[in-house]
Each structure stands twice: as C-alpha cells, then as structure tokens.
Amino acid sequence: MNVNEVLKELEAYGDERTKNTLMKHGAQEPFFGVKVADLKKILKQTKKNHELSLELYATGNSDAMYLAGLMADETKITEAQLEAWVDQAYWYYLSEYAVPWVAAETPFGFELGLKWIESDLERVADAGWATLSGYASIHQDEDLDLDLYRKLLHRVEKEIHSAQNRVRFSMNSFVIAVGSYIEALTDEALEVGAKIGKVDVTLGSTACKVPLATEYVNKVISRGSIGKKRKTPRC
C-alpha cells in the first residue's frame, strides 16, 4: 500500500462519533475519526514499514500520524526523524503515545527521553516522560539505570504540581510505570504517589479523570503483575 491508498482506507473507516470524541480530547482537523481497532486492520496489511510510516506522519492527518506510530520500524527510524515527529506532535495522542512508543523501542530512546523532559515545550516534555515510562515497561531491570529512575521519581515529586498541563499527566503516568514495571522501585513509587496525591489536569471537555498513582500501582500488586515487562509499549 502507498500513502494515498492508506488515506483512502482511513477515510472509509472514519466514524463521526469517534471523531467527535477525539475532538473533545483535543484532536484537530484534518482527521477522519478512525477507531484504533480499524487502524490495526490497516496495519495488518502494511506490517512495519519505515518509509510509509514517515509519509503518513508527514500528512499532518491525526489518524495517519497515529497509525505511523503503530507502523514505524524502530530499527530504521533515526533520532533526527523522531525529533521531527515530536515537534509535530500537536496533541497528546501523538505526544504521549505514537511518538514515545517508537522512541522507547529504539537504542537511543532513553537518552531521547532524558533530553525531551528538559524542554520548555509542553508537547516535547510530555513525550519525554512518556518515553521514559515506555522504556521502563519493555526493558529488564538489569538493563535500566535504576539510580537515575529513582532520581526521576523524586524529581516528579518536587515538580509535578507546577509542571505544564499534559506534562503533569505524563509525570503521574511515569510514577505508575516505575511502580508497576520496576519491582525494585515499587515501594518508592508508592511513597512518591502518596506524597503527590491527586494531580489536576485539564482533559478537554471530557469526563476522564487522572488516576491516583497509588491506587493504580496497588491494583497491579493485587493481581500479581508487578515487574512483568511488555513486549512493546504500542497498543
């Protein structure tokens, strides 16, 4: 499939109810409102495809950009290409999911995450924390810098309530990820989660709520899943 054929399929899968929901969350035109399940139908046809993913992301169509994140080949994408992607990630479905998913799977994902969290741009810092979360979810503890993850936990504790809106959300998610995927830091993540408490984030015109980190991690504990790594952060 080429980029025009994919765009035609995306248009065919467009759903008005899904589009309205995504607009409430912050999506902007142009996009068709394609359900993730339907994006994955297209993905079954294309598989991972580096060049096509770059072309799709470059369209500026949110559905195509999200699909590009699912389709991207982490073994071929470059740091420069991911830097361009994060700069174009105009809303959080892209900055917290599509771009970080790919970045976390690259050999340079951890370094990119550390770089991005220092940015004054909300979308970039947002992507940085999400990348570090994704990186923790797929790499074994012995391959992680646990001391640095510990320092980042306590940085979140100090900075989360004064951070930019979506950065607050991804910082809270970082605490959850560390507590859930890095068993050696679960107790510290719970302590940090208890200290930060409720995190206020403006989530558009939706009824969505920011999860309490302690409640979320305790649910992971109760089902015996602490420390269980994922094959990929993409979903």
Side-chain angles (χ1 to χ4, degrees), residues 209-221:
K209 297 180 179 179
V210 180
L212 282 172
T214 50
E215 287 186 3
Y216 195 106
V217 174
N218 277 318
K219 287 180 181 178
V220 178
I221 292 172

Side-chain angles (χ1 to χ4, degrees), residues 46-56 68 71-78 81 85:
T46 64
K47 309 298 182 185
K48 285 186 179 179
N49 187 318
H50 175 60
E51 292 300 331
L52 182 56
S53 70
L54 297 180
E55 291 176 5
L56 287 169
M71 187 188 298
D73 188 334
E74 73 283 357
T75 67
K76 295 181 179 179
I77 199 165
T78 67
Q81 288 164 341
W85 276 24

Side-chain angles (χ1 to χ4, degrees), residues 195-214:
K195 289 177 181 177
I196 65 176
K198 184 177 182 293
V199 178
D200 292 319
V201 179
T202 300
L203 299 171
S205 55
T206 74
C208 296
K209 297 180 179 179
V210 180
L212 282 172
T214 50

Side-chain angles (χ1 to χ4, degrees), residues 72-108:
D73 188 334
E74 73 283 357
T75 67
K76 295 181 179 179
I77 199 165
T78 67
E79 287 188 61
Q81 288 164 341
L82 280 168
E83 291 279 17
W85 276 24
V86 79
D87 191 52
Q88 298 166 50
Y90 71 90
W91 76 297
Y92 78 87
Y93 261 39
L94 307 175
S95 63
E96 286 175 23
Y97 304 115
V99 177
W101 287 343
V102 184
E105 292 187 350
T106 66
F108 42 83

Side-chain angles (χ1 to χ4, degrees), residues 5-23 27-43 45 56 61-68 70 90-91 93-94 235:
E5 290 171 334
V6 173
L7 287 171
K8 286 181 181 179
E9 286 219 23
L10 288 172
E11 185 174 13
Y13 279 124
D15 176 75
E16 197 62 33
R17 182 176 295 180
T18 299
K19 186 169 185 175
N20 289 336
T21 298
L22 293 176
M23 290 185 75
Q28 302 170 25
E29 298 285 3
F31 74 112
F32 303 115
V34 182
K35 298 175 182 177
V36 174
D38 290 328
L39 293 175
K40 290 183 177 180
K41 292 176 183 177
I42 299 174
L43 186 64
Q45 301 176 62
L56 287 169
N61 179 293
S62 179
D63 297 311
M65 296 167 81
Y66 191 95
L67 177 59
L70 294 172
Y90 71 90
W91 76 297
Y93 261 39
L94 307 175
C235 60

